[in-house]
Amino acid sequence: MFSQIKKWASFVKLSHTAFALPFALAAMMVASRENLGWPGWRKFLLILAAMVCARTCAMAFNRIVDRKFDKANPRTAQRHLPTGEISLLSAAALCVLSAAGLVAASYFLNRLCFYLSPLALAVICFYSLTKRFTDFTHVFLGLALALSPVGAWLAVKGAEISLIEILQMTTLAFAVALWLVGFDIIYALQDYEFDKTHGLHSLVVAWGPKNALAAAFLAHMLMCGLLFAFGLLCRFRVAYVVGWLVIVGCLVLEHWIARRRSLNWINLAFFRLNALISAVFFAVVAAEVVFQGGFKLR
């Protein structure tokens, strides 16, 4: 049983949920600020289910449509579909069931989330096709990940969202999108030669590694600016500023690794540092919301 769970978790890279989920939970807490960040067990579990289902659907769809490229790429040839460890039919069933799970969770959250759930599914799956026709595939992936804080915010507020909350939510969504654009460019360095040979598109292929890394650094600096603006819009204080400085330091280290180290270091920059960034962001937002910026419970 554990081996099956481990296999399917590996298939959809469940560990990478550490990227999007903390931003979604942070958005949930800010949206539930009047209740010290807690929307109640029912909404929390539905939000968690919706996020896991959305990501599982997107990853399963990605593995299905990319299976031929994965088989040809030495870096990905040992993935589950190319090796036959998981059948195409099983992967398709997981994709469909996860999509249905997202729609079902959205239905029980509120009407707005339910109506928007098919659009969300279209966006998160469409990314997997973009590398075939556009160099800006990273932007589409950024847009897909940016839906996580938006979805969590709307799950709490529904249609009863204020203008200042829309501004806060949009600022955070753009920050998440730019964060993803930056680190996905770094991740794409690993497949530069393969993508160029097989006609797959990315900014790394179009602009070359050096120029693409410069674009990634610019995206991350803009992200830092938006995260700072988000803190100002939410009237956060010292804890958030400290967390923001840690995030800036992690991003600078990530780019140093990408420029100065071999490609073997990319996974360190990609997973550990970015997981730390999202965890730190959630921790400081939770501290600000729960302790009202003064570390005193209301």
Side-chain angles (χ1 to χ4, degrees):
M1 180 179 177
F2 284 115
S3 64
Q4 287 297 312
I5 293 173
K6 184 179 179 181
K7 179 177 73 173
W8 285 100
S10 175
F11 175 64
V12 297
K13 292 288 185 182
L14 190 63
S15 59
H16 288 188
T17 305
F19 296 154
L21 189 59
F23 281 96
L25 295 180
M28 177 198 76
M29 294 196 72
V30 178
S32 308
R33 208 168 184 175
E34 65 276 10
N35 295 318
L36 296 180
W38 183 243
W41 278 107
R42 181 179 179 276
K43 277 191 177 180
F44 170 73
L45 292 175
L46 284 171
I47 290 170
L48 193 62
M51 293 298 162
V52 172
C53 285
R55 195 190 169 282
T56 300
C57 175
M59 282 300 300
F61 185 80
N62 177 268
R63 293 294 188 254
I64 290 169
V65 299
D66 279 358
R67 63 190 185 279
K68 292 182 180 178
F69 294 116
D70 286 344
K71 188 174 183 178
N73 188 341
R75 187 180 67 84
T76 57
Q78 296 305 309
R79 284 177 176 172
H80 301 79
L81 284 179
T83 60
E85 188 175 353
I86 288 177
S87 70
L88 180 60
L89 182 61
S90 297
L94 178 64
C95 184
V96 172
L97 288 173
S98 299
L102 170 62
V103 174
S106 301
Y107 176 81
F108 288 107
L109 279 165
N110 58 60
R111 186 174 298 179
L112 179 61
C113 287
F114 177 62
Y115 289 156
L116 291 176
S117 59
L119 177 61
L121 283 170
V123 172
I124 62 178
C125 290
F126 180 66
Y127 150 73
S128 297
L129 305 174
T130 57
K131 65 184 71 175
R132 292 159 174 80
F133 61 86
T134 177
D135 298 330
F136 293 92
T137 177
H138 321 282
V139 176
F140 287 94
L141 183 56
L143 176 63
L145 196 72
L147 293 182
S148 58
V150 172
W153 209 303
L154 294 179
V156 174
K157 289 293 187 176
E160 299 176 359
I161 187 170
S162 66
L163 287 176
I164 183 63
E165 286 180 314
I166 291 174
L167 183 58
Q168 292 167 341
M169 179 182 70
T170 304
T171 301
L172 180 57
F174 274 110
V176 171
L178 288 167
W179 174 54
L180 191 283
V181 168
F183 79 66
D184 192 54
I185 289 174
I186 294 173
Y187 189 70
L189 292 172
Q190 299 175 101
D191 295 325
Y192 171 58
E193 294 296 340
F194 178 84
D195 290 349
K196 187 168 63 172
T197 303
H198 289 77
L200 294 175
H201 296 264
S202 74
L203 289 179
V204 178
V205 173
W207 296 350
K210 185 176 180 180
N211 290 332
L213 277 174
F217 184 75
L218 176 60
H220 279 159
M221 292 304 99
L222 290 173
M223 171 220 176
C224 291
L226 287 174
L227 283 185
F228 193 81
F230 176 74
L232 292 176
L233 288 169
C234 295
R235 303 186 305 279
F236 290 155
R237 300 181 187 178
V238 176
Y240 187 83
V241 173
V242 171
W244 181 81
L245 290 172
V246 171
I247 289 171
V248 172
C250 287
L251 290 172
V252 171
L253 178 58
E254 182 175 340
H255 283 271
W256 182 84
I257 290 173
R259 290 174 181 273
R260 303 292 183 182
R261 296 288 182 172
S262 67
L263 290 179
N264 295 331
W265 283 70
I266 292 295
N267 280 328
L268 174 65
F270 175 74
F271 185 75
R272 294 184 185 177
L273 287 175
N274 286 299
L276 178 60
I277 286 169
S278 56
V280 167
F281 180 79
F282 170 71
V284 295
V285 168
E288 291 285 357
V289 171
V290 172
F291 296 102
Q292 299 294 299
F295 298 97
K296 292 181 180 179
L297 283 170
R298 188 169 53 183

